[in-house]
Amino acid sequence: MSSMVRDMTKGNTTKLLLEFSVPMLIGNIFQQIYNVVDSAIVGKFIGADALAAVGSTGSVNFLFFSLCIGVGSGSGIVASKYFGAKEKDNVKRVVANSCYLMMIASFIMGLLGFFLSGTVLRILNTPENIFAGAKLYLGIMCLGIPLVGLYNYASSMLRALGDSRTPLIFLLVSCFINIGLDYLFVCSFGMGIVGAAAATLIAQAISGVGCVIYSYITNEYFRISRKLRAFNSRIIRECIRMGSMLALQMGMIAVSCIALQRYVNGFGSTVVAAFTATGRIEQIIQQPYNSLGMAISTHAGQNLGAGNHRRIKEGFSKGLLIAFIFSVLMLPIMQIFGEQIISIFVDDQEVLALGATGLRITSIFYFALGSIYVSRGVLNGIGDAAFAFINGFVEMVGRILLPALLAGSLFGVWGLWISGGLTWFISGLFAVIRYYAKFGRKKNSRLVEF
């Protein structure tokens, strides 16, 4: 067995979660640092309008990526279940068949995103002064979706097997290449938004291809015989069942983010720039929760396969405690140093003031955000497809309705950030309720059917 593979069905739960999540956290933080550096380069070397143009595409990008992310995550859940049950051949079947699914899904979404990018940005009411830049950036990024899909496929399979270190290695390589190419293309060559997008695509290609090749060389589960590489309808159905629900979950969240972006765009490019800056910071803040959630998902999936429901519950309680501690630590930082944090991106005083206050508002809701990731990790890990739909629907409704109610005459522009925090709170509450509906009974002989 590969030395990177980790069996999470035995051993200290807290130690396992931290050992698994820390490499992912390091990688995710580096990726978000890249996003910050990318935004800072765009904002300071090209201008606030360019920053707003790039930022206005974030939710649309996520929508087009959501199918690939869902396929990868859903297939990873299926693989972790078989790994926990010690069914080696079925793990290899999932590794092979999920690759077929990912490549098909990523090429379809890449083409759709490229041809529909302008239409979607028009629907979003993107300000005219940033529309051309946003359309150009979004179109280029959509062409790179298959590259994102390749890395997402490999990393999802590796994490299902308990290996969070190999994806970290290639993510770090990608981030450093991305930052270097950003400076080269944008600062030295003056390529503007095209340079920022090209740097990202090249880095993604290197990380995706490199991760797959390295996994084949070092991990026995990627070296698959012809018999196990064959198309397997049962495995495909399992991956599609879970992957499609996760893709739907993420798609609904993306649609809600797009709806919110439309409200933001209506306030003009200054607010768009401030909202983009706070969004970049919140992406960094979410990484510990995200890494913890993925660790809990793998832990739950493997222990489901092993039939150990007690350890699944233990993973949930330990995860909530870790999320609470991190939330308490982050709150005073955002309250005190808001202006200094936003100044990383822009020098415009109006944008600084808006962004700093926005951070102070949303930081109040960080623990609610953490509870979403912890509950989602457990429920997705056990294959609760119904929860995936419920979670996505609740977030979509919250992000569509709350800004309309709060960002008008009631709270003005501050309603944009307040609605985001309240959406976290409502979604987190529903996620915890769903968890206790599944695990609150004393006996749980059958939690889920894959």
Side-chain angles (χ1 to χ4, degrees):
M1 182 178 290
S2 171
S3 60
M4 292 289 191
V5 170
R6 180 183 287 110
D7 186 346
M8 302 182 77
T9 62
K10 58 184 95 172
N12 183 277
T13 298
T14 302
K15 182 181 178 183
L16 284 169
L17 292 178
L18 291 176
E19 286 179 347
F20 187 88
S21 61
V22 166
M24 286 192 297
L25 175 59
I26 294 171
N28 289 338
I29 287 178
F30 265 91
Q31 188 174 38
Q32 296 308 318
I33 288 174
Y34 154 71
N35 288 335
V36 170
V37 172
D38 180 60
S39 297
I41 291 173
V42 170
K44 297 203 175 213
F45 286 90
I46 308 177
D49 281 354
L51 175 62
V54 171
S56 68
T57 67
S59 55
V60 185
N61 259 325
F62 182 60
L63 174 62
F64 292 132
F65 289 159
S66 62
L67 179 59
C68 302
I69 297 171
V71 169
S73 300
S75 300
I77 289 167
V78 177
S80 68
K81 181 196 69 168
Y82 284 124
F83 181 79
K86 307 298 188 291
E87 297 181 22
K88 184 175 179 179
D89 284 353
N90 277 331
V91 174
K92 291 190 173 187
R93 289 187 179 97
V94 175
V95 172
N97 282 267
S98 62
C99 182
Y100 311 149
L101 283 176
M102 179 62 77
M103 291 302 97
I104 293 170
S106 62
F107 276 106
I108 291 174
M109 293 310 297
L111 289 174
L112 283 176
F114 179 78
F115 289 111
L116 295 177
S117 56
T119 302
V120 174
L121 289 172
R122 286 294 183 197
I123 293 173
L124 282 175
N125 194 30
T126 304
E128 199 59 42
N129 61 316
I130 65 174
F131 178 84
K135 183 177 183 296
L136 178 62
Y137 184 82
L138 180 59
I140 296 173
M141 292 302 295
C142 286
L143 291 177
I145 289 179
L147 302 175
V148 176
L150 189 62
Y151 173 79
N152 190 66
Y153 153 73
S155 61
S156 295
M157 291 299 103
L158 290 168
R159 288 166 183 157
L161 305 176
D163 178 8
S164 58
R165 295 181 185 179
T166 300
L168 166 64
I169 294 169
F170 288 94
L171 194 56
L172 291 179
V173 170
S174 175
C175 287
F176 285 120
I177 291 174
N178 218 328
I179 291 172
L181 291 178
D182 264 332
Y183 275 104
L184 182 65
F185 292 165
V186 177
C187 304
S188 300
F189 294 169
M191 294 172 63
I193 287 177
V194 173
T200 300
L201 294 190
I202 293 172
Q204 287 171 344
I206 292 172
S207 65
V209 174
C211 192
V212 171
I213 293 174
Y214 182 82
S215 297
Y216 178 81
I217 294 172
T218 62
N219 192 309
E220 63 175 313
Y221 287 96
F222 281 76
R223 295 191 292 275
I224 308 169
S225 65
R226 178 176 297 181
K227 176 184 176 182
L228 297 180
R229 285 200 307 267
F231 181 89
N232 187 294
S233 59
R234 178 179 58 83
I235 294 293
I236 289 287
R237 284 197 302 270
E238 289 186 66
C239 293
I240 289 178
R241 176 184 177 275
M242 197 62 219
S244 61
M245 294 309 296
L246 290 177
L248 180 61
Q249 176 192 58
M250 294 172 188
M252 286 190 288
I253 293 172
V255 168
S256 70
C257 291
I258 289 173
L260 178 59
Q261 186 68 52
R262 191 176 192 279
Y263 286 111
V264 175
N265 291 346
F267 284 91
S269 58
T270 299
V271 174
V272 173
F275 200 79
T276 297
T278 58
R280 291 287 191 259
I281 296 301
E282 285 169 5
Q283 285 173 359
I284 294 177
I285 295 298
Q286 289 189 46
Q287 294 319 302
Y289 301 131
N290 184 37
S291 301
L292 179 62
M294 286 191 286
I296 291 172
S297 181
T298 298
H299 178 269
Q302 288 191 12
N303 280 286
L304 178 72
N308 197 337
H309 299 161
R310 181 189 60 79
R311 285 182 64 85
I312 297 175
K313 295 179 183 180
E314 186 179 359
F316 174 79
S317 60
K318 299 292 186 183
L320 274 187
L321 177 60
I322 295 170
F324 176 76
I325 293 171
F326 178 75
S327 303
V328 170
L329 292 175
M330 288 296 103
L331 178 60
I333 294 175
M334 295 300 153
Q335 296 294 321
I336 297 171
F337 300 107
E339 285 86 357
Q340 291 87 339
I341 293 171
I342 297 299
S343 67
I344 296 172
F345 301 97
V346 289
D347 299 319
D348 185 287
Q349 291 302 308
E350 189 176 359
V351 175
L352 280 173
L354 285 168
T357 303
L359 282 181
R360 295 186 183 107
I361 292 170
T362 55
S363 62
I364 298 170
F365 299 92
Y366 281 170
F367 180 61
L369 177 63
S371 68
I372 296 173
Y373 279 100
V374 172
S375 303
R376 183 187 294 166
V378 173
L379 294 168
N380 285 348
I382 66 169
D384 185 359
F387 166 74
F389 175 81
I390 293 169
N391 181 246
F393 182 77
V394 170
E395 288 205 30
M396 180 176 68
V397 172
R399 285 201 179 93
I400 291 174
L401 294 184
L402 289 177
L405 296 173
L406 302 179
S409 58
L410 193 57
F411 292 104
V413 67
W414 308 120
L416 298 172
W417 285 278
I418 294 171
S419 65
L422 288 177
T423 298
W424 291 343
F425 176 79
I426 295 169
S427 183
L429 182 62
F430 270 85
V432 172
I433 290 173
R434 179 68 178 181
Y435 167 83
Y436 281 107
K438 299 291 287 186
F439 287 94
R441 299 181 298 275
K442 291 184 179 180
K443 294 183 179 180
N444 261 315
S445 59
R446 188 176 176 183
L447 291 175
V448 68
E449 290 183 8
F450 270 93

